[in-house]
Amino acid sequence: MTRQDLTKLTAIFDHYPTDAGSLIGVLQDIQREFHYLPREAMTKTAETLGVPLSKVYSVATFYNAFSLTPRGDTIVRVCKGTACHIKGADLLLDQLESGLGIKPGETTEDMKYTLEVVNCVGACAMAPVMIVNNKYHGNVACNRALKLVKKD
Amino acid sequence: MVHITINGKVVKAAEGEMLLTVLKREGIDIPALCHHEAIEPTGNCRLCMVEISRAEWEGWKKHVTSCLYPVEDGLIVNTHTPEVIEIRKTIIDLQLANCPDSDVIQKMAEEYGIYKTSYETVPEGDNCIMCYACTRICEVLGKSAISAVMRGHKKVIAPPFGEEPPDCIGCLACAQICPTNVIPWTDTDSTRTIWKKTFDLITCTSCGKAVITKDFAEYLMAQRQIPKEYFETCDECKRMATARKMGEIVTKAQEAAL
């Protein structure tokens, strides 16, 4: 971890009371800042909050919101819930897979894009839905998907 | 003090005591895998299920995990009704599907007349029933070296990052408390390996047998103020020494009496 990263980390710790109850909040902030949970950050969290490292790791692996591997700057989520599935989410995903050259759960080598599949985002009326960095795109046409991703 | 009725017999119990503790004290056979005196009950294995009722419930009853149910005055408990047996059988049947190779569960199943699970067995199961007895005992010891990792069907009990757990002291509490004996460890004359971590063993100064890992001894010395000499000899040699000393005292006393 660089000195800059450590400063970022200290700033996050300063935001929270130093007890076990702050664990999830701290991890969420680290995830937001670094786009994943670096190993060193988890060790530091355990030391700072006085929580056993095993517990930090347990929480980090339990929630889908946390990633243990670095993720891209742009996170593309494709909904594969029932409605989106019927409206062609598979074709959409195919386009993105071949366009970005990665499979769901992977990140491009230049660390720009991460592709993910989610189950339902509660926007079935807009199916098929694609979320690019928390921005929701509805009725996405296959041929437009990649353009929408690259534009962001 | 509260009074409860267990299978028709009135029994005294301390307030706040868990039902399973009372049932065990009364000598009633209740199967339980995840229960242990040293750790807080969590009701993970579901096997200690019993039927409870109260006079004012007018025949209404419910099934609870006795390890987690605090006794209260006027509770009516039935431990072996046909419904309870049926529930227990289902749970054992499911556990057998989960851990087809566990002799503990096989034996338990046989007692309930189940010789083959009626469910599909888990492929490549590791006999772990996810009762968390190991992680709970590790926490009680003040270490928390291992924990549940991932979730759902991918969940396993493991050290952080799947590597040597930095907090582990090789005390074997996790392996010994495990009801289905799934935590492997190996001992050589001078080392012990558990969770892929290898520890140096202190050997007995008189017989040379392994006593305890260095890390565990150091931890006990610091935490429980146990003197260093305590770990220098094994339990057997300690007993022998005590017996020898007692013998000497007796002989001396006898000699003095003559």
Side-chain angles (χ1 to χ4, degrees), chain B residues 59-163:
Chain B
W60 193 81
K61 59 202 176 185
K62 65 175 179 178
H63 296 105
V64 296
T65 43
S66 57
C67 70
L68 275 178
Y69 202 86
V71 290
E72 52 201 31
D73 213 25
L75 201 66
I76 302 163
V77 186
N78 280 306
T79 59
H80 286 77
T81 63
E83 285 110 317
V84 171
I85 303 274
E86 205 48 51
I87 290 173
R88 249 176 241 159
K89 270 186 165 175
T90 310
I91 298 164
I92 295 173
D93 199 354
L94 283 162
Q95 292 288 20
L96 196 59
N98 189 27
C99 317
D101 308 320
S102 163
D103 10 329
V104 182
I105 290 168
Q106 275 169 5
K107 203 171 147 248
M108 201 175 252
E110 275 170 29
E111 277 172 29
Y112 279 80
I114 305 163
Y115 297 93
K116 197 177 170 293
T117 176
S118 50
Y119 300 94
E120 205 172 306
T121 51
V122 173
E124 293 159 30
D126 62 356
N127 290 342
C128 174
I129 60 161
M130 282 294 157
C131 70
Y132 295 97
C134 51
T135 62
R136 285 184 284 153
I137 195 80
C138 198
E139 200 173 339
V140 168
L141 273 153
K143 281 290 159 193
S144 288
I146 48 170
S147 64
V149 174
M150 307 299 281
R151 67 169 162 178
H153 64 275
K154 283 185 195 160
K155 185 161 71 184
V156 286
I157 301 294
F161 308 106
E163 295 170 4

Side-chain angles (χ1 to χ4, degrees), chain B residues 229-242:
Chain B
E229 300 76 55
Y230 185 81
F231 305 109
E232 283 168 357
T233 47
C234 70
D235 288 350
E236 217 168 295
C237 289
K238 265 190 217 104
R239 263 196 293 277
M240 294 268 272
T242 314

Side-chain angles (χ1 to χ4, degrees), chain B residues 17-71:
Chain B
E17 226 176 348
M18 291 300 163
L19 193 48
L20 184 60
T21 318
V22 182
L23 294 172
K24 282 200 166 170
R25 194 167 55 225
E26 289 301 312
I28 298 164
D29 179 37
I30 308 280
L33 286 170
C34 70
H35 185 261
H36 194 279
E37 292 85 358
I39 48 179
E40 288 287 310
T42 49
N44 274 325
C45 76
R46 318 304 294 171
L47 279 165
C48 64
M49 202 74 94
V50 293
E51 180 194 286
I52 59 159
S53 183
R54 297 180 70 86
E56 64 268 28
W57 287 1
E58 296 168 356
W60 193 81
K61 59 202 176 185
K62 65 175 179 178
H63 296 105
V64 296
T65 43
S66 57
C67 70
L68 275 178
Y69 202 86
V71 290

